[in-house]
Amino acid sequence: MGRPDPEEGQLPAPVKPPDGGWGWIVLLGCFVITGFSYAFPKAVSVYFKELMKDFHVGYSDTAWISSIMLAMLYGTGPVCSIMVNQFGCRPVMLIGGLLASAGMILASFTTNIIELYLTAGVLTGLGMALNFQPSLIMLGTYFDKRRPLANGLAAAGSPVFLSSLSPLGQVLLEKFGWRGGFLIMGGLLLNCCTCGAVMRPLDMGMKRKMGKAQDKYEAKEMLPIGGKSEEGISTTDGTKKGKKAKKKPKKGKKLLDFSIFSNRGFIIYTISKFILVLGLFVPPILLVNYAKDTGVPDTEAAFLLSIIGFIDIFARPACGMVAGLKWVRPHVAYLFSFSMLFNGLTDICSARASNYTGLVIFCVFFGISYGMVGALQFEVLMAIVGSQKFSSAIGLVLLIEAFAVLIGPPSAGRLVDALKNYEVIFYLAGSEVVLSALFLGVASYCCLNRGKKEPLPENNPSAGGGSDTEEAESDVQEAEEHSSDNHQPPRSTDNAVVVANEEANHVAEEQRGEGGGCPAGDGEVLARDSCNADQMVERDSF
């Protein structure tokens, strides 16, 4: 009753996320994809010295390979969103896995640095981008109540793969050279296709089928039993088919939904994320050189990054568990703001560290705060825009972050060359992160809380601004209530007639043509259009 037809230009309602089952396999695939996407650009740096010798180029020239990979990962976000909305997550991920693998395999046959930019940089970077974004979309589709934990576990793939791909790359370099290493790395990237294959989409047509079965069952219960009821149902089905044939073709799904910019929460998140990325990646990039300048040996300086990675592995799932608590999840944006504030203050307080002990303490706290940021960044975005618009939102956010990635670390490197002082860089990076945290917390409190306090119209229960998954849950519960009500005998109420209005009218018209009055059967049904207003249809009781 009053249920919209999904074919009238509307998209079918989303299926309730299972929060488990096959979702754990999807989570495993997302863990692998996240590890490759974030760790692979850093892991290829072990080959840079050999590339410098073979191609007679400098370190800055080889460093462009990682930079191009990251630029493709962030900058192609809108393109990936369009492809996902057009073709779905699974086909896009399969194509991305093939491109990523082909890029590294072709790179093993290159003869100059430009060819490496096009193969290992552009082609592999594009392939990883086409895997990374759809995997996050599928994760949000399969998880709702456990989504913070799922995001935390998936984000842990980055430090795990970084701690394993770098040593593996060094072993491959020593045994097979950089060309053999690139070839084997290309084979490993084919696992992205396996991860894409397990991204099975949820059955979006399940509720539509339930609705059709519900309509048919209600019509069968409300109409007179016997040959006339069967004839009425079949004729009604034919009438519906005829109406569907006359309907205009429904509009397809938007390739890129720019309406999310009307969401104040999304605007606040995007601005704070841009400021965050300006300073977030600067300390780990400069940490090793900073330690060497203070007199720390090379092996101990390199071990500092391992400390950050080890702490990061446990910080991300732990933060995901905390964010999933009932009393924390409604305020997850403030937890994200706290994690950014924690990270920024860690940078500022550790700027004057002058010995190895101080740097180790910095790495411990930085690993905790960095893991918190990594675990919460996409969970907050999903909570703001919902699962239906997440594919467009993440693409636009990654595009904006691409500009910050190209501005922040290179600018910090130039300042180090000009000032010869790492302390100023740590102060600057920490201040940017603290600014982003304060902006997100204050703007969310001032702008979003005021919108929540505004009274909602009583006649529009859907104006509460709930998430898509919450709406799906209410729809499923409503469908279950309707199905349970159908087991009761039909009653002579106006609401029951509205449900079977079309079927009752059609049968009544046929009977008038045969010389009959109102239909006879079980119970009483008020036929407003087919009989007189005061006429009741008498039916035998059970």
Side-chain angles (χ1 to χ4, degrees), residues 26 29-30 33-34 37 73 76-77 79-85 87-97 126-142 192 195-196 199-200 382 390-391 394-395 398:
V26 173
C30 190
I33 294 297
T34 303
S37 300
L73 180 65
T76 57
V79 177
C80 187
S81 296
I82 292 174
M83 294 183 65
V84 168
N85 290 333
F87 305 107
C89 292
R90 180 187 282 178
V92 174
M93 293 185 68
L94 291 175
I95 295 174
L126 177 60
M128 289 189 296
L130 295 179
N131 274 272
F132 176 64
Q133 187 172 324
S135 66
L136 294 177
I137 296 172
M138 290 300 298
L139 192 67
T141 303
Y142 271 86
C192 295
C195 297
M199 300 294 174
R200 183 176 63 196
M382 290 180 185
F390 181 70
S391 60
I394 188 175
L398 290 178

Side-chain angles (χ1 to χ4, degrees), residues 42-78:
K42 304 171 185 176
V44 296
S45 61
V46 300
Y47 300 100
F48 285 174
K49 287 187 177 181
E50 294 296 323
L51 294 175
M52 292 167 59
K53 294 178 181 178
D54 285 3
F55 296 141
H56 306 288
V57 294
Y59 180 81
S60 60
D61 296 324
T62 56
W64 270 104
I65 299 174
S66 298
S67 300
I68 294 174
M69 283 186 182
L70 291 174
M72 295 298 295
L73 180 65
Y74 285 96
T76 57

Side-chain angles (χ1 to χ4, degrees), residues 41-301:
K42 304 171 185 176
V44 296
S45 61
V46 300
Y47 300 100
F48 285 174
K49 287 187 177 181
E50 294 296 323
L51 294 175
M52 292 167 59
K53 294 178 181 178
D54 285 3
F55 296 141
H56 306 288
V57 294
Y59 180 81
S60 60
D61 296 324
T62 56
W64 270 104
I65 299 174
S66 298
S67 300
I68 294 174
M69 283 186 182
L70 291 174
M72 295 298 295
L73 180 65
Y74 285 96
T76 57
V79 177
C80 187
S81 296
I82 292 174
M83 294 183 65
V84 168
N85 290 333
Q86 181 68 22
F87 305 107
C89 292
R90 180 187 282 178
V92 174
M93 293 185 68
L94 291 175
I95 295 174
L98 293 176
L99 289 178
S101 177
M104 292 303 296
I105 293 174
L106 292 176
S108 64
F109 299 99
T110 55
T111 57
N112 56 67
I113 194 68
I114 301 299
E115 293 176 355
L116 270 178
Y117 293 161
L118 297 176
T119 53
V122 175
L123 200 58
T124 300
L126 177 60
M128 289 189 296
L130 295 179
N131 274 272
F132 176 64
Q133 187 172 324
S135 66
L136 294 177
I137 296 172
M138 290 300 298
L139 192 67
T141 303
Y142 271 86
F143 289 92
D144 181 27
K145 295 180 180 179
R146 297 176 178 175
R147 192 178 63 201
L149 175 62
N151 277 313
L153 291 173
S158 175
V160 169
F161 272 65
L162 181 60
S163 61
S164 58
L165 285 179
S166 296
L168 176 62
Q170 188 64 40
V171 172
L172 294 177
L173 178 63
E174 295 174 356
K175 291 188 175 182
F176 305 102
W178 71 267
R179 294 186 184 274
F182 275 22
L183 190 63
I184 296 175
M185 286 288 192
L188 289 177
L189 286 175
L190 283 174
N191 288 289
C192 295
C193 295
T194 305
C195 297
V198 303
M199 300 294 174
R200 183 176 63 196
L202 292 175
D203 186 11
M204 300 298 290
M206 184 182 299
K207 295 184 67 179
R208 178 180 170 186
K209 294 178 181 178
M210 290 175 57
K212 286 186 176 181
Q214 181 76 7
D215 290 339
K216 197 166 185 178
Y217 184 81
E218 289 176 352
K220 190 173 182 179
E221 287 291 321
M222 295 301 301
L223 291 176
I225 59 175
K228 295 294 182 180
S229 65
E230 298 296 334
E231 182 182 353
I233 294 174
S234 61
T235 311
T236 301
D237 292 342
T239 304
K240 288 185 177 181
K241 292 179 181 179
K243 288 183 179 181
K244 291 177 182 178
K246 296 179 181 179
K247 290 178 181 178
K248 298 180 181 180
K250 62 179 182 179
K251 296 181 180 180
K253 189 177 181 181
K254 293 181 180 180
L255 296 180
L256 196 61
D257 191 356
F258 290 97
S259 64
I260 55 177
F261 283 105
S262 61
N263 187 334
R264 289 179 296 179
F266 177 75
I267 298 296
I268 294 172
Y269 176 88
T270 304
I271 295 175
S272 63
K273 196 69 185 300
F274 178 84
I275 302 174
L276 171 69
V277 174
L278 288 176
L280 180 65
F281 301 121
V282 171
I285 291 176
L286 301 180
L287 178 62
V288 176
N289 291 333
Y290 178 39
K292 291 179 180 180
D293 289 353
T294 57
V296 177
D298 293 351
T299 55
E300 295 181 359

Side-chain angles (χ1 to χ4, degrees), residues 376-393:
L376 295 175
Q377 55 179 344
F378 297 118
E379 167 60 27
V380 174
L381 182 59
M382 290 180 185
I384 291 174
V385 302
S387 60
Q388 297 299 301
K389 295 185 177 181
F390 181 70
S391 60
S392 297

